[in-house]
Amino acid sequence: MSRLSLLDTDDVPEEYHHLFSDDYLGDRHIFRVWAHNPDVLEATLEYLNTLYDQLGDRRKELVILTVARARGARYEWHQHVDIARNEGVTLEEMRAIGGNDLSVFDDAEFVLLQYARAVESGTVTDQIHEALMRAYTPAEIVALGLLVDFYVGLCNYIASVDLPFEGGEFVGWIPDEETVSALFE
């Protein structure tokens, strides 16, 4: 049970109802908790969408899964296994991230995920940064660092409110096709 109640659309002022349409947020628990402060919810979503646009959907999801795994953040991992499937991330890639084996990724994605891990843990070295600079622009690196930092904080926040999963049991760090289908189809 969440430490903050999960609000419904009718619990927030009408001017924010658009945030809870199926085309936008839908029924994710994190947004239902954030709805206790709809101004912050709306501003946070605007900020996140700006970051997301900088990296592209697939890379964004790979980074989020990497941070969730590194933090042991089950809610965030569970959510983004579902979301990442629609953004071109394969189950094989998710299993690789879940098993802490990034060798399945090409060089550009490998360094992206290594950098995400280093930012998450506060261990960025000149070597990792230089490798990232060969594959990504400074603007992308800024967005990447801020996205990682946001999700580190989000993982901590989710733990602090004890947010429950939507749709059943935890998908697992090494998700299989049968479990993913049963939970998210």
Side-chain angles (χ1 to χ4, degrees), residues 50-109:
T50 300
L51 291 178
Y52 294 168
D53 289 345
Q54 302 294 308
L55 294 174
D57 293 332
R58 176 182 161 76
R59 291 188 296 178
K60 166 197 65 146
E61 291 302 324
L62 289 172
V63 168
I64 294 168
L65 287 168
T66 299
V67 171
R69 182 60 182 112
R71 303 296 295 178
R74 293 163 47 105
Y75 177 90
E76 208 54 40
W77 175 267
H78 185 86
Q79 287 296 327
H80 285 275
V81 164
D82 182 27
I83 295 167
R85 297 177 317 134
N86 297 321
E87 304 301 347
V89 180
T90 67
L91 275 179
E92 176 189 6
E93 292 167 329
M94 291 180 217
R95 287 191 290 267
I97 293 169
N100 294 311
D101 175 13
L102 303 181
S103 65
V104 302
F105 296 98
D106 67 25
D107 289 347
E109 288 180 343

Side-chain angles (χ1 to χ4, degrees), residues 4 7 12 47 59 117 126 163 171 174 181:
L4 288 174
L7 299 181
V12 298
Y47 173 69
R59 291 188 296 178
R117 283 180 170 176
D126 288 342
L163 205 59
V171 69
I174 311 294
S181 293

Side-chain angles (χ1 to χ4, degrees), residues 7 9 14 30-31 35 45 108 134 139 146 150 156 171:
L7 299 181
T9 305
E14 190 171 332
I30 185 61
F31 303 123
L45 294 173
R134 288 191 289 275
L146 291 172
F150 179 87
N156 292 337
V171 69

